[in-house]
Amino acid sequence: GVTLLNCSPGTVQVVRECGADEEIVDRTAEHAWVEMCADVVVPLSAMGFHLVVGIQGLHLTRPLPPGICLDGRSGGVVAVYSADDTFKRAKTSDAVTFCGQSLPSWLEARNLTAGDIWAEPEEAALATDLWAAQLFRKCGRPEDVEGYWDVSSFSRDDFLRSTRFSLKALNQSDSALQRD
């Protein structure tokens, strides 16, 4: 199912993509939570868990992959991540998961390096603390969001030119209580 909480009435369209057998999808799909959203069109994968919070003015045409979450923050910043990501320091860079895949693979597919997402050279050399990685930015177009899971929508130049934030910085500068 999909639960809508404190969303602007009549402005949020969030539906699950139809699977081959809709009855099975209805019985086995993980839950999706949509909270504090307005002017949003977000198709969801047929089966995966999703969390969509605080999103304003985003209209996607393709479904979110299973597990992908959209976390809207002040200033139009959207933290895009997977429910399975490793936001606690990992033992090795290969053990870091971002958007449901290994971080080294995510970076390589987008022609990025650890130095592009960690401000501190020591952190970039380790590449094990996703919490401090500057991965999140203002997302004004659907492609800005989709590029996190679909490399064909990713613009390396736009990503590198934008002001980016870590989840640590977003949490320090933004209050869930104020957003509610």
Side-chain angles (χ1 to χ4, degrees):
V2 176
T3 300
L4 299 177
L5 300 167
N6 300 321
C7 293
S8 294
T11 69
V12 176
Q13 297 176 26
V14 179
V15 295
R16 286 224 180 252
E17 179 182 46
C18 292
D21 185 337
E22 287 188 48
E23 183 180 332
I24 291 172
V25 169
D26 287 343
R27 285 186 286 129
T28 61
E30 292 184 58
H31 205 76
W33 291 93
V34 181
E35 184 175 359
M36 303 290 296
C37 294
D39 186 24
V40 170
V41 176
V42 179
L44 305 175
S45 68
M47 301 297 283
F49 170 80
H50 297 287
L51 178 68
V52 181
V53 178
I55 301 297
Q56 310 289 319
L58 179 65
H59 296 218
L60 300 178
T61 58
R62 295 181 291 160
L64 295 182
I68 292 293
C69 303
L70 305 178
D71 182 357
R73 300 300 184 102
S74 62
V77 173
V78 177
V80 180
Y81 50 83
S82 169
D84 297 323
D85 289 352
T86 51
F87 282 105
K88 293 190 179 189
R89 186 177 297 276
K91 291 184 180 187
T92 67
S93 60
D94 289 335
V96 179
T97 301
F98 181 62
C99 285
Q101 60 184 295
S102 79
L103 181 63
S105 296
W106 189 90
L107 291 170
E108 182 180 338
R110 288 158 181 80
N111 197 27
L112 296 170
T113 66
D116 292 327
I117 62 168
W118 274 285
E120 300 297 324
E122 301 82 28
E123 287 290 342
L126 292 172
T128 57
D129 189 7
L130 194 59
W131 182 251
Q134 296 173 328
L135 288 161
F136 309 113
R137 64 190 180 120
K138 182 176 182 174
C139 293
R141 305 169 305 142
E143 296 83 10
D144 296 337
V145 174
E146 292 168 348
Y148 282 90
W149 64 82
D150 177 5
V151 71
S152 70
S153 295
F154 185 80
S155 170
R156 180 182 186 274
D157 292 338
D158 289 349
F159 182 83
L160 291 175
R161 273 195 303 266
S162 64
T163 302
R164 286 171 284 115
F165 304 90
S166 66
L167 199 54
K168 177 182 178 180
L170 288 174
N171 284 348
Q172 288 173 340
S173 67
D174 202 12
S175 166
L177 290 175
Q178 289 175 346
R179 288 190 309 247
D180 283 354

